Amino acid sequence: MANRKRLKSVTIPVSTFENVMKQFDQAAVKLNIDPGLLEFLKYPRKSTIVKLPVRMDDGTFKMFTGFRVQHSIVRGPAKGGIRYHPDVTLDEVQALASWMTWKSAIVGIPFGGGKGGIICDPSQMSLGELERLTRRYTAALMDSIGPEKDVPAPDVNTNETTMAWIMDTFSMHSNHTVTSVVTGKPVVLGGSLGRREATGAGVVLTVREALKHLNMKPEKSTAAVQGFGNVGSVAALFLQRLGVKVTHVCDVFGGLYNPDGIDIDALIEYVKENKKVGGFPGAKAFDKDEILYTKVDILVPAALENQITAENAFHIKAKIIAEGANGPVTPDADPILQENNVFVIPDILCNAGGVTVSYFEWVQDRMGFFWTEEEVNLRLEQFMTNAFNDVLKVALENKAHLRLAAFMVAIQKVADVVQLRGIYA
Ligand code: GLU
């Protein structure tokens, strides 16, 4: 297998929701849960497709398609981000919504799972066009979303500004200000301190725990980070603060490499100005498609799903994969990675820091009383380390890898709630 040709990019048509269902099924067979109940837990409760006419800057109208999926509301309101991307599909949004259900259960926050998406290319749209699209999408979903029903947040290509528009549109339709309808808002609009960094910070907390478990020292470890957006850049920064040498990073345009470690603080400043990592003076250019195969201790895929598949998993040299993105490793890649002793920290655990601080934001909005950044970070650390250790315990007890254990923990938690609530009929 060693001479298997490396794929420059992996373009296998894949149903991401089918991938989640495989992950679900592998864990479900280990649990003693009624098959009918499992069916209920597996599929989304509600998938909405909305058509969105938007007036473009040149005066023409363009039609967009948006989705919002509520996978589960068993443990509380549906919760999850909204992504803007040309390749968004209903299948992908259903998968992402399902992962949110399991993520919320693992960290023990009282939410179900949801996700949204709009098929669009934000890089080709003006701020005004994006605002009109976001407001139209929010108006179309007035019946579905709400602080007690379904609470969106940022995801790929959406940010604080997008959340401010959603909050304002929802509030205008409600005739009063409703801050807790979305999380990931600007701090002055009821956002939480520490939310912007939370996903990347959480990723690094799980890496810290994994290093402890594997008897590896941060200061003797190297890392590569795929993606330099909100998750990748913060994960790289916090890895560096932990003492790890971050030798490789990339964004969609290109990669960077420095064997002595890239100065991530300086790179973040550079990217603010230049909107890409390419050209940064403190490192050499590097083929971004090779980043997954670099010889580092820790690999953080923090871009999109379906990056590591059965086609290329053989080439992974990292000892730890920390899934900053949702779904970067496909189910058929998992057994290959296990065989090669790669310790995978699964997305539903690894990147749960974002939704955890989203929960803190929702709590603060509803209390109308805001916490200091230290309080947020301390609580995030407690939630993430507890979640990691709960999953690790189940993994060790069942001789299971972490993804299987994470799904077992999550499915059991949601099933227990259904059993106690009972099925209404
Ligand atoms: N989009 C993030 C995720 O995939 C955050 C979701 C949230 O905060 O609700 O976990």
Side-chain angles (χ1 to χ4, degrees):
M1 287 301 172
N3 59 2
R4 202 178 243 256
K5 200 170 158 351
R6 267 180 206 173
L7 295 182
K8 278 286 171 193
S9 63
V10 181
T11 47
I12 306 160
V14 64
S15 158
T16 307
F17 187 60
E18 255 172 48
N19 286 347
V20 189
M21 290 200 287
K22 273 187 206 152
Q23 295 169 339
F24 179 96
D25 290 342
Q26 282 164 9
V29 293
K30 305 260 177 208
L31 301 167
N32 187 16
I33 299 173
D34 182 294
L37 180 52
L38 285 172
E39 287 273 295
F40 171 51
L41 299 183
K42 191 165 160 179
Y43 295 100
R45 75 176 289 271
K46 182 172 152 189
S47 300
T48 309
I49 304 177
V50 284
K51 290 289 176 190
L52 309 166
V54 174
R55 185 170 41 77
M56 306 306 278
D57 289 346
D58 65 3
T60 61
F61 285 90
K62 197 169 162 191
M63 284 301 295
F64 292 86
T65 302
F67 309 104
R68 184 73 192 171
V69 173
Q70 295 178 357
H71 176 263
S72 171
I73 56 165
V74 165
R75 297 180 63 261
K79 184 80 191 86
I82 298 172
R83 71 173 50 180
Y84 288 0
H85 198 279
D87 301 334
V88 166
T89 61
L90 181 61
D91 174 90
E92 179 195 27
V93 178
Q94 287 180 325
L96 291 159
S98 171
W99 279 318
M100 290 308 303
T101 301
W102 316 122
K103 210 183 283 190
S104 298
I106 286 172
V107 280
I109 57 178
F111 287 142
K115 204 81 175 195
I118 301 181
I119 308 170
C120 65
D121 184 354
S123 71
Q124 303 303 312
M125 294 171 71
S126 72
L127 207 60
E129 289 168 345
L130 284 169
E131 176 172 352
R132 292 192 289 278
L133 175 63
T134 304
R135 288 184 183 278
R136 183 73 193 214
Y137 174 75
T138 310
L141 291 174
M142 274 309 289
D143 292 341
S144 303
I145 61 172
E148 303 281 353
K149 294 184 189 171
D150 183 350
V151 185
D155 198 76
V156 174
N157 291 331
T158 56
N159 56 27
E160 292 183 353
T161 308
T162 327
M163 296 309 114
W165 293 329
I166 296 177
M167 190 280 257
D168 182 70
T169 310
F170 189 88
S171 298
M172 288 294 118
H173 282 258
S174 311
N175 275 325
H176 63 106
T177 296
V178 189
T179 53
S180 53
V181 64
V182 279
T183 59
K185 298 178 292 295
V187 172
V188 290
L189 296 189
S192 176
L193 293 166
R195 173 62 187 85
R196 201 184 299 161
E197 298 79 18
T199 312
V203 167
V204 177
L205 287 166
T206 64
V207 170
R208 186 189 74 185
E209 295 305 297
L211 289 170
K212 265 190 228 165
H213 169 66
L214 299 170
N215 279 321
M216 289 167 66
K217 298 240 173 313
E219 53 287 356
K220 292 210 169 124
S221 305
T222 53
V225 180
Q226 183 199 38
F228 209 73
N230 183 248
V231 182
S233 63
V234 177
L237 184 65
F238 282 55
L239 280 169
Q240 181 180 277
R241 290 196 188 151
L242 189 66
V244 174
K245 205 189 276 179
V246 181
T247 54
H248 299 70
V249 301
C250 76
D251 60 14
V252 275
F253 308 109
L256 290 180
Y257 159 71
N258 182 342
D260 299 322
I262 299 167
D263 179 346
I264 304 295
D265 284 291
L267 179 59
I268 287 175
E269 285 310 308
Y270 177 86
V271 171
K272 270 188 205 152
E273 287 282 307
N274 297 278
K275 311 284 172 234
K276 56 176 185 186
V277 300
F280 176 65
K284 291 199 179 97
F286 172 78
D287 178 358
K288 71 176 170 58
D289 292 326
E290 290 291 309
I291 198 145
L292 299 173
Y293 319 119
T294 49
K295 196 167 175 349
V296 286
D297 298 299
I298 306 155
L299 174 65
V300 184
L304 290 172
E305 54 266 21
N306 304 325
Q307 298 298 298
I308 301 171
T309 67
E311 304 296 312
N312 65 356
F314 293 98
H315 297 295
I316 303 291
K317 298 185 194 77
K319 298 189 183 92
I320 298 174
I321 294 180
E323 295 186 336
N326 292 310
V329 175
T330 58
D332 54 5
D334 265 334
I336 301 166
L337 297 172
Q338 282 150 33
E339 207 177 299
N340 294 337
N341 279 323
V342 184
F343 189 86
V344 179
I345 313 171
D347 45 10
I348 54 174
L349 169 64
C350 188
N351 69 38
V355 75
T356 300
V357 178
S358 276
Y359 164 57
F360 299 162
E361 180 173 331
W362 181 79
V363 168
Q364 292 171 77
D365 286 341
R366 287 155 65 96
M367 281 196 297
F369 181 75
F370 291 85
W371 310 347
T372 64
E373 195 159 356
E374 289 69 35
E375 283 173 296
V376 170
N377 291 340
L378 200 69
R379 288 188 169 115
L380 173 64
E381 182 168 1
Q382 283 165 354
F383 275 67
M384 292 304 293
T385 48
N386 288 346
F388 183 92
N389 289 304
D390 289 350
V391 171
L392 182 64
K393 187 164 172 274
V394 171
L396 295 174
E397 280 167 6
N398 292 277
K399 295 192 175 31
H401 55 92
L402 238 55
R403 189 184 318 279
L404 185 59
F407 268 88
M408 286 169 70
V409 169
I411 296 169
Q412 190 64 59
K413 277 194 189 178
V414 185
D416 287 347
V417 173
V418 177
Q419 297 281 15
L420 282 167
R421 286 179 61 160
I423 297 288
Y424 174 72

